[in-house]
Amino acid sequence: MVTMTPDTTPDTTPDTIRAIDVARTDGSPLWVEAVPTPAGLEVWWDEPRPHEAGRRCVVRRTPDGRRHDVLPPGWNARNRVIEYGGRSWRPLPGGGLVFTHWGDQRLHRLDPGGEPVPLTPEGPSRYADLCLPPGRQEVWAVREIEDVRDLVAVPLDGGPVRVLVRAHRFLMNPRLSPDGRHVAWIGWDHPNMPWDGTELCVAPLDSPGERRVIAGGPAESVVQAEWRDDGSLYAVTDATGWWNVHHVTLDGRRRNLAPLPMEFGDAPWKLGGTWFAVAGSRLVTVYGTADGKRLGVLDPDTGELTDLGGPATHWYGTVSAADGVAVGVAASPYTPAQVTAVRLDDGEHTVVSASKPLPDRSLLPVPEPAVIEGVHVHLYAQDASTRPYVLFVHGGPTSSRPPVLDLEVAYFTSRGLGVAVVNYGGSTGYGRAYRERLRHQWGVVDVEDCAKVARGLVALGRADAARIAVRGGSAGGWTTVAALVHTDVFACGVAHYAITDPESWAAETHDFESRYLDGLIGPLPAARDRYTERSPLLHAAQASGPCLMFHGLEDAIVDVAQAERFTAELTKHGKECTLHTFPGEQHGWRREETIVAVLEAELAFYDRVFGGFA
């Protein structure tokens, strides 16, 4: 293990993208909200600040077009519920804010001109998925105390925290009916993950124990619900095999509003996603596949879907609407994720977040969508000539990587490397059947799909067979090290905060994912042979090439011991492996200096292993 410092590899030539360029555009805005005021429409969001120790700052754009940081320096609107966090703030009438602060995980209130004041007591509680129920002077949230989660109400002027709902091991999406009589929420229990099966529940607010399940189940995933009227809700559920929007009545009758082979939702790794918003009698919704997601307006009565996406090729799962305007986060191959407002009457687009400095457009690669032996992939290269390639493997594994501007990709392509972003079997965005390809096959299908893509690139004359690398983070790090030890395709691997041994990880990790492997590999102890057979740690001696590893020392999702043990095992067998660790980093890189150091070290590693990129 070594302490990470920036590499001295030259990184300043005018025809390449620098690591600092990547760091300063890293991350995406989250949790947008359109707020009507007497002066006009305000737009609120939070955004990453890698140059401010990685904090997330809530930003407000007033009707006159000015942007203001709502959170003072040192305050960080982020929480650790289910470790991945969730919606961490809501704007209050008059310009105030209620939010969770990363430093103490408490709920705070911030009034204009004042300082944040805690609303919840000190202790082990964490709060996420904040909701302001109409007509009530309180904020609703998912409260987590160790492995127990409840829906709670917190008075906005201080006072005792009141439990609203105690029902499932995991909960999200608290919503009050328009008449104030019923509460709706989404819940699930082990061993399910929320993309496997959830329940949409409704109960009288004064008697939450009398809950009714009106949609969902063990093999049906509901990921968002909003009240339509006192007797029904709109809900995104994958009952048809695709996350479509349904109208669901309180007695469980349902109607698919747009029965299309497209996703109107996604895997809720963070609590509080909004893939649609109610806009009067219509819905503003994100829809599409992992190859491109659009913004549209859906008429619930006729099923007519009108596109409003404009030049953006991907809209993220955070949408809000008010006063005839929709706001969301949009990106394209040439533009980073930006908060964008769209007028519903004429489709006019306005970018409301601050612009980021971008490299010359000639340095930005254009994604080339492809399907190689049934595997969805996006290819990035300066041209179609034979070159060394790096396969990017996304985390999750129930996730995907969209084809949008990504300076992390461009950092490598600007130096002559090709990049293939692999949405392997198990990825979201292509329907439940594609997602289910990974059931009990993690460490098999994902690895085989990466090998198929690598061999396919060679067969197409795109990649140099002797110079193909694989890299990824978290579950993508698992696939990286698994591909390194279970295939002979890859010259090297780079693993960021990687899982290296599934059985020990299942015992060490946090509650949310502690039963994830039941579906990905199989339940223990019955499936132990699969865990042993697929473990990269137990087969390290078979590694086809050197490995470079990075890990944050405060990672509560994948403990650094996973990387330490794998590094030791490779070294024991005479294989090259270097581990770099980072104090102050958790699961993923948030600090500017970390992002720069990691990229420069990774580039130097490829340069040495490949013998240059020419």
Side-chain angles (χ1 to χ4, degrees), residues 370-421:
V371 178
I372 298 177
E373 293 191 42
V375 184
H376 294 273
V377 60
H378 304 126
L379 305 178
Y380 299 81
Q382 292 173 325
D383 53 55
S385 61
T386 303
R387 64 182 66 250
Y389 254 84
V390 181
L391 267 61
F392 276 45
V393 188
H394 66 72
T398 312
S399 182
S400 58
R401 193 157 178 159
V404 296
L405 175 66
D406 188 337
L407 289 194
E408 187 180 45
V409 169
Y411 178 73
F412 296 110
T413 60
S414 70
R415 289 165 171 79
L417 286 159
V419 169
V421 173

Side-chain angles (χ1 to χ4, degrees), residues 140 151 164-168 175-177 179-186 200-214 227 230 233 250:
W140 288 5
L151 298 183
L164 294 169
V165 172
R166 181 166 286 155
H168 299 79
R175 297 292 189 270
L176 178 66
S177 62
D179 62 8
R181 296 176 55 195
H182 289 86
V183 56
W185 72 92
I186 296 169
L200 172 57
C201 299
V202 174
L205 184 60
D206 59 1
S207 186
E210 299 176 15
R211 74 176 189 263
R212 286 176 286 170
V213 178
I214 64 171
W227 289 94
D230 294 336
L233 299 96
L250 295 190

Side-chain angles (χ1 to χ4, degrees), residues 438 441-448 478-479 482-483 486 520-521 534:
L438 209 57
Q441 295 298 311
W442 194 42
V444 178
V445 165
D446 50 326
V447 171
E448 289 177 351
W478 149 274
T479 302
H486 293 308
L520 289 176
I521 299 178
R534 299 177 195 175

Side-chain angles (χ1 to χ4, degrees), residues 388 417 464 466-467 491-492 603-614:
L417 286 159
D464 180 346
R467 296 191 294 170
C492 61
L603 179 67
F605 178 69
Y606 295 141
D607 186 45
R608 181 174 59 78
V609 173
F610 292 157
F613 306 140

Side-chain angles (χ1 to χ4, degrees), residues 24 116 288 508:
R24 289 176 179 170
E508 296 165 352

Side-chain angles (χ1 to χ4, degrees), residues 21-108:
D21 298 328
V22 182
R24 289 176 179 170
T25 61
D26 189 65
S28 171
L30 280 174
W31 317 128
V32 299
E33 187 148 355
V35 180
T37 73
L41 190 71
E42 294 186 347
V43 181
W44 294 57
W45 66 91
D46 76 74
E47 61 187 30
R49 297 284 175 85
H51 58 289
E52 296 180 23
R55 79 174 181 122
R56 295 201 71 92
C57 182
V58 179
V59 181
R60 169 191 181 196
R61 184 184 188 267
T62 49
D64 60 7
R66 292 185 296 170
R67 288 181 292 269
H68 311 266
D69 284 0
V70 179
L71 280 186
W75 292 90
N76 186 355
R78 185 172 160 231
N79 58 73
R80 292 186 59 172
V81 173
I82 68 166
E83 292 302 338
Y84 292 100
R87 175 114 200 188
S88 55
W89 57 270
R90 289 281 184 177
L92 297 173
L97 179 74
V98 58
F99 70 101
T100 56
H101 174 52
W102 175 258
D104 58 14
Q105 295 296 304
R106 300 165 74 184
L107 278 172
H108 295 73

